[in-house]
Amino acid sequence: MNVTLNWLKTYIDFDFSPDQLAERLTMLGIEVESVKQLGAALEGVVVGKVTSIRPHPNADKLVLCQVDIGETDALQIVCGAPNVCEGMFAPVATIGTELLTGITIKRAKLRGEESHGMLCSEKELGLAAQLASAYSKSDEAAGLMELSSDLSIGSSLTEALGLDDVVFELEITPNRPDCLSMIGVAREIRAETGNDLKLSQIDLQESEADINKRTSVTIDAPELCPRYAARVIRGVKIGESPTWLKQRLESIGVGVINNIVDVTNFVLMEYGQPLHAFDYHKLAENRIVVRCAAEGEQITTLDEEERNLTPDMLVIADAEKPVALAGIMGGYDSEITETTCDVLLESANFQPSSVRATAKALGIHTEASYRFERGADPEAVIPALDRAAQMIVELAGGTVCKGIIDVYPGKSELLQIQLRAERVNFILGTELEATEIEQILSRLGFGVEALQSEENVYQVTVPSFRSDITREIDLIEEIARVHGYDNIPTTLPKGDIPIPVPNISAEVRKRTKHFLLGSGMMEAINYSFSHPNCFDRIRLTAGNPLRQALQLKNPLSPEMSVLRTTLLPSLLNNAQHNHNHQINNIAFFELSTVFIQGKEPERIAGILAGEIGGGVYGNPYRHPDFFDVKGIVESMLEVCGITDYSFKKTEDPTFHPGRNAEVLLDKKRIGILGEAHPKVLESYELPYKAYLFELDLEALAGAADFSKRFEPIPIYPSVLRDLAIVVDKNMQSDVPIAFIYSTGGELVESVRLFDVYVGDQVPEGKKSLAYTITYHSATETLTDKAVNDLHDKVVKRLNQELGAELRM
């Protein structure tokens, strides 16, 4: 929103310079985006009158003009503008003037004739898109800017056009619609200065003609239109607005149209209350009906665009058809024209969400909709209406019919809030006196009354224009900004520093993420939304609980319409996207929330696909396998201090049969890992194998143990023995490991599987498992005999209980 210094000064006295005013408004919460001096580029440009014209002797398209600029001798200026004529008033750039175009005016000879200045167009002065239409009777294409003959010859163009002013561009936050007006901004300045507002006195003279006999207002949708008021002005004469009014509007970027419409725009900017003027005789039965549009109804708006309406759109109608979009724009068929003689003037209040929805649906943004969308003051309806009616009579003649129609179904009592002075000082850390608090609120327009029953407690009545104030803390914020944030003392916080409570979940997140990143994997961050067909792509069965995904009511797109219940589809999508871009070194993980049956558990999942490795000597590229993903999961569990886990072969439709395992903790499943099923790979168009894992982060946090255990460096040596056994092909490798530990007891320090072999040297239906067993005693050096005896005992038990044969 734009306001000007001179316009503001008509409502309140203040001595701030433009920069000081900008600073004070910003500190009050009204951000000043820019400060612009209107006539800064017009120094040296004066009002001139062309007294005579004669042809240029050496150029057919040029003329020699004698121009009076109030000095003793007229200036000779060579001009080629097509609209120059004797008696014309036009801007004159005198010698030494530097124009916005970069031209410096000098005494010059043009085709042999001297020229002592320059007659200027709007474009040359930089006024074409700014102010020209308020003062010029021609347009840019016609040539020179033609000024009003009422202007004083030789006067500065800046002063003559009212450009000795400063424009402030304000950024008004959505919660402060009261500041979308000159009076609203002046009210803020009053809070700073304490000076009284100077509002125009309304002394409206009414005729004997009764308005109720000439029109009526019916509100069929009171929930969308809390108030609608109207006046009728008869016998107006449509014409051009006076210069002062055009200057006011154009100075803030509002175009001028005619005296009636200009008045409504002026009052809009003055009060922040949108108005609309109808041609009274273009309204069927000369009456107003506020209703929702009928199905298939249309209206042609003032911009001459035909709009298709829907039943949820509020319109202003006459007895037959819509004549305006409520709170947005008037209709073309009922607009004010040169033939208008009687005017029905509207001032109303509309429900913000209704105006916002209609404006968005139709793609219209106007000054009126901007204010109604944020919440206009319902109590400004009548003052603005009377102010506009009085101005219309002053500028366009006519008489105001007796009475006013004011339909007000949405009237409500003003909100009252109790404010404690002690609470104000406690929150702000100040020592404000109760009288100072009362003064600040009164300047802002609040009603303040001290309660007799309690000392320094006030009953504050919130004015209708401050819909953003609903609680005591809101009043305290008002006091803070007016008192000045810079005036609030800086104090250090006091209190005991609490001992931080360990957050196991956060520690698990940090450690697992750190480990995976250190392992060469990259973190993926995906949307929590998925395509409904993602469950089909990973081959979930019809009854799988993961299919019970929450549907979004208003999804970003059909492809993102359900909340995901597993992270695996997102990672497979990431792999597909990278493969499509010829990136085949895929090692991703994601740590995020899933949504299952009303809960939001955290999961950590990963994918290895394509090629892994560094692609250098000693670390060549290779395809990942089951043991890569299993190793990552094992290391991740160990990072969390979890050791009593196990793996168990399982069947899952997402994974390749026989190449997957579930992760168990206390015999409870906490995750799964393995090779993706070939059909899953096909659905994601991946030409290579992919290995996946997904773990329940909450289960990891529940079992995590970050306590540190210190053991002395062993003083007795360890003894290593390799053991290769032939067992049934379906036996899991951890079964012999359990027997080895139980047989060797404390003397078996570790067992590590280092080879699995199936081939010609192993009988059909069998496989070879090779382990390295570390024997160690904390109390003595183990002899070869002791180790051999124990090792033989292990081999014998494996043979007897598992049928394992020693592979020679």
Side-chain angles (χ1 to χ4, degrees):
M1 174 183 167
N2 293 336
V3 299
T4 70
L5 188 69
N6 292 342
W7 197 346
L8 282 175
K9 285 185 175 181
T10 63
Y11 302 108
I12 188 167
D13 293 324
F14 57 89
D15 297 324
F16 300 130
S17 68
D19 289 340
Q20 289 173 331
L21 180 59
E23 180 185 1
R24 292 312 308 152
L25 288 176
T26 299
M27 295 306 296
L28 285 168
I30 303 176
E31 184 180 356
V32 179
E33 291 282 329
S34 64
V35 180
K36 181 170 62 177
Q37 179 72 46
L38 283 179
L42 299 180
E43 186 177 353
V45 182
V46 299
V47 176
K49 179 182 179 181
V50 180
T51 56
S52 65
I53 298 176
R54 59 187 179 88
H56 192 294
N58 303 316
D60 295 338
K61 295 184 179 181
L62 299 178
V63 294
L64 303 178
C65 302
Q66 295 298 313
V67 182
D68 181 6
I69 61 168
E71 297 180 353
T72 304
D73 297 324
L75 301 178
Q76 176 173 289
I77 297 177
V78 178
C79 180
N83 66 330
V84 63
C85 60
E86 288 188 11
M88 179 183 187
F89 281 65
V92 179
T94 56
I95 301 299
T97 299
E98 184 174 348
L99 300 179
L100 280 176
T101 57
I103 298 174
T104 299
I105 305 302
K106 300 177 181 178
R107 184 179 291 106
K109 278 191 176 184
L110 298 176
R111 305 292 291 271
E113 295 291 334
E114 287 192 354
S115 183
H116 298 269
M118 178 178 176
L119 292 166
C120 301
S121 69
E122 293 96 324
K123 184 176 181 180
E124 290 161 338
L125 297 176
L127 299 177
Q130 184 181 356
L131 303 173
S133 61
Y135 321 102
S136 172
K137 298 178 182 178
S138 61
D139 55 36
E140 181 187 342
L144 299 181
M145 179 181 180
E146 186 175 356
L147 302 175
S148 170
S149 58
D150 296 335
L151 300 180
S152 176
I153 295 174
S155 62
S156 164
L157 186 67
T158 299
E159 296 178 1
L161 300 186
L163 300 179
D164 52 339
D165 204 350
V166 179
V167 177
F168 300 86
E169 183 184 356
L170 308 181
E171 181 66 31
I172 307 298
T173 54
N175 66 315
R176 293 300 306 274
D178 58 298
C179 291
L180 293 173
S181 65
M182 296 293 171
I183 293 176
V185 177
R187 195 184 292 118
E188 294 292 299
I189 298 174
R190 178 179 66 176
E192 178 71 19
T193 64
N195 298 334
D196 293 333
L197 292 180
K198 302 184 296 181
L199 302 182
S200 300
Q201 296 298 316
I202 298 176
D203 183 17
L204 195 59
Q205 302 297 318
E206 298 179 337
S207 68
E208 294 299 320
D210 189 356
I211 189 174
N212 293 298
K213 295 181 179 179
R214 284 158 178 78
T215 190
S216 66
V217 173
T218 304
I219 300 179
D220 290 342
E223 70 282 0
L224 302 181
C225 179
R227 190 173 195 182
Y228 193 101
R231 278 192 177 275
V232 173
I233 302 103
R234 304 171 67 194
V236 300
K237 183 178 180 181
I238 308 302
E240 188 177 342
S241 295
T243 299
W244 71 265
L245 178 55
K246 291 189 289 186
Q247 287 177 350
R248 284 280 188 254
L249 295 176
E250 289 286 355
S251 67
I252 59 172
V254 178
V256 297
I257 300 174
N258 57 52
N259 48 5
I260 303 297
V261 177
D262 293 348
V263 164
T264 63
N265 287 333
F266 178 87
V267 176
L268 162 66
M269 304 310 299
E270 183 178 48
Y271 279 84
Q273 171 61 41
L275 305 170
H276 186 67
F278 296 98
D279 188 317
Y280 174 80
H281 295 289
K282 293 179 181 178
L283 301 175
E285 299 183 12
N286 307 123
R287 63 188 180 92
I288 292 293
V289 180
V290 185
R291 60 173 174 82
C292 289
E295 186 68 49
E297 215 165 18
Q298 294 181 325
I299 183 175
T300 301
T301 46
L302 288 172
D303 54 4
E304 299 185 38
E305 292 286 335
E306 190 174 88
R307 314 281 181 178
N308 297 315
L309 308 179
T310 56
D312 58 342
M313 296 178 178
L314 188 69
V315 298
I316 310 302
D318 57 20
E320 299 174 354
K321 62 189 180 304
V323 292
L325 296 172
I328 302 174
M329 185 180 288
Y332 179 77
D333 295 332
S334 59
E335 70 172 334
I336 302 298
T337 63
E338 294 179 355
T339 61
T340 299
C341 60
D342 296 340
V343 173
L344 187 145
L345 190 60
E346 164 198 288
S347 182
N349 188 268
F350 301 106
Q351 212 271 340
S353 61
S354 172
V355 176
R356 187 182 305 113
T358 301
K360 182 178 180 180
L362 297 177
I364 308 175
H365 179 79
T366 63
E367 291 286 351
S369 67
Y370 182 71
R371 285 160 177 78
F372 280 128
E373 287 174 15
R374 284 154 179 77
D377 177 14
E379 296 303 320
V381 167
I382 300 304
L385 181 62
D386 288 344
R387 167 75 161 146
Q390 178 171 293
M391 288 185 66
I392 288 174
V393 171
E394 292 173 354
L395 302 182
T399 58
V400 180
C401 289
K402 182 179 180 180
I404 185 171
I405 294 178
D406 183 13
V407 184
Y408 199 173
K411 188 174 181 61
S412 59
E413 297 296 326
L414 295 178
L415 177 65
Q416 293 188 324
I417 303 172
Q418 283 194 4
L419 177 68
R420 297 161 289 175
E422 182 181 1
R423 181 67 174 168
V424 172
N425 287 319
F426 175 77
I427 294 292
L428 301 182
T430 55
E431 296 180 358
L432 296 174
E433 297 291 336
T435 53
E436 188 175 356
I437 293 172
E438 181 180 359
Q439 186 181 57
I440 289 174
L441 293 175
S442 297
R443 289 178 179 178
L444 287 170
F446 292 86
V448 184
E449 181 181 353
L451 292 181
Q452 300 298 324
S453 57
E454 299 182 63
E455 186 178 2
N456 292 335
V457 178
Y458 294 92
Q459 187 82 357
V460 179
T461 302
V462 180
S464 58
F465 54 80
R466 290 305 303 273
S467 58
D468 59 311
I469 304 297
T470 59
R471 304 170 297 167
E472 182 184 36
I473 195 66
D474 297 330
L475 295 173
I476 295 174
E477 183 183 354
E478 292 296 295
I479 294 166
R481 69 183 184 88
V482 175
H483 176 65
Y485 296 114
D486 292 343
N487 296 323
I488 296 176
T490 302
T491 57
L492 292 174
K494 299 178 181 179
D496 297 329
I497 299 176
I499 298 175
V501 178
N503 188 324
I504 301 299
S505 296
E507 186 66 19
V508 168
R509 287 190 212 100
K510 183 180 78 172
R511 292 196 181 203
T512 53
K513 183 183 290 190
H514 182 75
F515 164 73
L516 292 172
L517 290 171
S519 299
M521 300 184 75
M522 291 183 288
E523 184 177 9
I525 300 176
N526 294 298
Y527 285 110
S528 294
F529 316 126
S530 292
H531 195 295
N533 75 354
C534 70
F535 307 117
D536 295 328
R537 297 180 75 183
I538 63 172
R539 303 181 71 246
L540 291 185
T541 57
N544 194 305
L546 296 182
R547 281 189 173 272
Q548 299 176 13
L550 292 173
Q551 298 282 337
L552 298 179
K553 289 185 177 181
N554 187 26
L556 297 174
S557 68
E559 291 76 22
M560 305 177 72
S561 60
V562 298
L563 290 173
R564 58 183 177 173
T565 58
T566 171
L567 304 181
L568 297 182
S570 299
L571 291 172
L572 286 164
N573 274 324
N574 297 146
Q576 181 184 19
H577 179 79
N578 279 268
H579 170 68
N580 292 340
H581 289 78
Q582 299 181 345
I583 299 173
N584 295 313
N585 190 352
I586 295 170
F588 299 145
F589 75 93
E590 182 173 10
L591 197 163
S592 187
T593 301
V594 295
F595 305 85
I596 303 174
Q597 298 176 349
K599 298 181 181 180
E600 299 180 19
E602 284 187 283
R603 299 281 190 265
I604 185 164
I607 182 171
L608 297 177
E611 296 177 329
I612 59 173
V616 296
Y617 180 76
N619 186 23
Y621 286 129
R622 65 178 179 84
H623 296 297
D625 57 26
F626 176 85
F627 296 102
D628 289 311
V629 70
K630 180 172 178 286
I632 287 174
V633 171
E634 287 178 321
S635 299
M636 193 162 49
L637 292 171
E638 291 172 8
V639 162
C640 297
I642 301 172
T643 58
D644 55 345
Y645 60 87
S646 61
F647 296 97
K648 181 182 178 182
K649 183 178 179 181
T650 186
E651 295 295 331
D652 189 293
T654 302
F655 294 88
H656 194 298
R659 299 180 189 176
N660 63 87
E662 58 185 356
V663 186
L664 301 178
L665 191 60
D666 294 332
K667 299 182 179 180
K668 182 180 178 181
R669 174 170 167 166
I670 65 168
I672 191 169
L673 60 95
E675 180 184 329
H677 196 284
K679 290 187 177 180
V680 172
L681 299 176
E682 182 182 341
S683 69
Y684 285 94
E685 300 177 356
L686 295 176
Y688 36 65
K689 294 179 180 180
Y691 294 87
L692 310 167
F693 71 85
E694 185 170 28
L695 299 176
D696 184 346
L697 200 73
E698 294 178 2
L700 297 184
D705 182 6
F706 299 122
S707 60
K708 297 179 180 177
R709 302 176 183 86
F710 295 93
E711 296 180 356
I713 297 174
I715 60 176
Y716 301 107
S718 300
V719 178
L720 276 62
R721 290 284 191 272
D722 287 344
L723 173 65
I725 57 176
V726 177
V727 298
D728 289 338
K729 190 174 183 179
N730 294 327
M731 181 177 292
Q732 297 183 27
S733 62
D734 58 352
V735 174
I737 291 176
F739 276 91
I740 295 171
Y741 275 117
S742 63
T743 305
E746 295 181 355
L747 296 181
V748 176
E749 184 176 72
S750 66
V751 181
R752 181 172 60 87
L753 176 71
F754 69 86
D755 184 51
V756 178
Y757 176 74
V758 178
D760 295 339
Q761 300 177 18
V762 177
E764 186 176 351
K766 301 287 185 176
K767 65 181 176 182
S768 171
L769 301 177
Y771 302 92
T772 295
I773 305 173
T774 302
Y775 297 100
H776 177 259
S777 172
T779 59
E780 61 179 335
T781 299
L782 294 176
T783 64
D784 286 342
K785 182 179 184 308
V787 173
N788 292 336
D789 290 345
L790 182 57
H791 194 69
D792 291 341
K793 185 180 178 181
V794 168
V795 173
K796 183 177 180 180
R797 189 179 177 203
L798 291 173
N799 176 260
Q800 291 176 346
E801 299 192 28
L802 300 181
E805 296 290 341
L806 191 64
R807 184 182 175 197
M808 304 305 291

